[in-house]
Amino acid sequence: MTTQRVLTGITTTGTPHLGNFVGAIRPAIAASKDPATESFLFLADYHALIKCQDPAQVRQSSKEIAATWLALGLDTERAVFYRQSDIPEITELTWILCCNAAKGLMNRAHAYKAAIQANEEAGEDPDFGVTMGLFSYPILMAADILMFGAHRVPVGRDQIQHVEMARDIAQRFNHHFAPLFTLPEAVVEDHVAVLQGLDGRKMSKSYQNTIPLFLPEKQLRKAINKIKTNLLEPGEPKDPDDSTVFQIWSAFASAEETARMRADFEEGIAWGEAKRQLFELVNATLAPARERYEALLSDPGHIESVLQRGAERARAFSVPLLAQVREAVGISAMR
């Protein structure tokens, strides 16, 4: 059987929310159970430093994200689950790739161009507030991907460019030195929902419109009740395809439940009733994992032991590859 190696990382800058669960965590855990897939899943804590200068937040987020994956049933005997900063070979590879990546390629990165545009519109120097972390972020991401020979990298559409950059960097290295790197492909799962948040925009920490994944029941109910809706009264038909409530329902419900709720919308279900049913569905789905999550948070030593075992497994790949890279570029023992 030919296996495909798949790599997924989540930046440790916040608390996991429903959008993370539906868009990344749930499909990644499902894929990790496929015998034809080798899954590498990691906490991207070096990436977190690009946008977050609060050490306590980075530590807490790392703990919460690790607990989330474990609570939701990730089998760490099958998947390689590790913390990015526990793999020193990644940072060394990043520097080697920096010495080969074209600056012009980095100039075209979307995040860097957006920062420049915002500065120019504000009348600032184009590079005001731009760190080398932000500028060279795609190279660190390339090191993450190339270190483990990932064939496929599931990403949102806004991250496709970074996977293509990793591919360009790999091709350049392979041409100049040795054919050591697998050329990765970005995978955009169009059938995976991108959830809307409380205000109707994409659910995102940057918009502060998220519903945290493991809120206690009372807080979860309050959060769902805050979802923005229109002013249509009970009995008035409602468009399910223009509703955040229905969209989140569809991400958690079966096909039969989704069809039934669509009919209820067309018949004019009251918003309060729709939100009540949505709360009951989401709460029932997440309650068992929430209990495991709380138990894990109270036992950080266990989480740490899982991550350290994962790091050992990951370094079984990274150490020999970096040795080959060092040899290829001329950094090796005298002989």
Side-chain angles (χ1 to χ4, degrees), residues 228-244:
K228 184 178 179 180
T229 56
N230 57 38
L231 299 177
L232 292 174
E233 297 290 335
E236 294 184 86
K238 298 168 177 65
D239 182 1
D241 297 321
D242 190 37
S243 166
T244 300

Side-chain angles (χ1 to χ4, degrees), residues 100-284:
N100 289 276
K103 179 178 179 292
L105 183 65
M106 296 302 101
N107 288 342
R108 296 193 290 274
H110 297 325
Y112 177 57
K113 289 173 67 176
I116 288 177
Q117 181 179 347
N119 282 335
E120 290 175 341
E121 291 173 354
E124 299 282 1
D125 180 89
D127 283 322
F128 175 76
V130 176
T131 66
M132 285 306 298
L134 174 63
F135 182 72
S136 58
Y137 162 81
I139 303 178
L140 176 58
M141 184 168 172
D144 290 324
I145 296 168
L146 302 179
M147 180 60 78
F148 298 106
H151 301 100
R152 301 167 63 236
V153 185
V155 290
R157 294 195 175 278
D158 59 337
Q159 291 286 322
I160 292 175
Q161 184 197 43
H162 290 141
V163 181
E164 292 175 343
M165 285 179 164
R167 188 181 180 92
D168 289 344
I169 291 168
Q171 286 177 317
R172 184 171 176 140
F173 182 97
N174 288 352
H175 174 72
H176 285 293
F177 296 105
L180 298 179
F181 295 129
T182 300
L183 303 186
E185 293 186 7
V187 178
V188 178
E189 304 284 2
D190 288 325
H191 66 278
V192 173
V194 177
L195 291 193
Q196 295 169 356
L198 298 175
D199 57 3
R201 294 182 294 176
K202 174 186 173 182
M203 190 176 291
S204 169
K205 289 171 282 195
S206 60
Y207 294 148
Q208 298 183 333
N209 66 350
T210 66
I211 300 177
L213 187 58
F214 291 128
L215 282 177
E217 283 192 28
K218 287 185 179 180
Q219 293 179 33
L220 177 61
R221 188 190 298 273
K222 287 181 180 179
I224 288 175
N225 284 337
K226 289 179 181 177
I227 295 173
K228 184 178 179 180
T229 56
N230 57 38
L231 299 177
L232 292 174
E233 297 290 335
E236 294 184 86
K238 298 168 177 65
D239 182 1
D241 297 321
D242 190 37
S243 166
T244 300
V245 172
F246 183 80
Q247 190 215 31
I248 298 176
W249 174 274
S250 301
F252 282 85
S254 65
E256 293 77 11
E257 291 169 327
T258 299
R260 192 266 301 166
M261 181 60 82
R262 178 176 288 277
D264 288 349
F265 263 67
E266 292 168 352
E267 292 171 8
I269 187 173
W271 286 122
E273 174 60 17
K275 289 180 179 180
R276 182 191 67 78
Q277 291 189 34
L278 176 61
F279 159 73
E280 291 181 352
L281 174 65
V282 173
N283 187 58

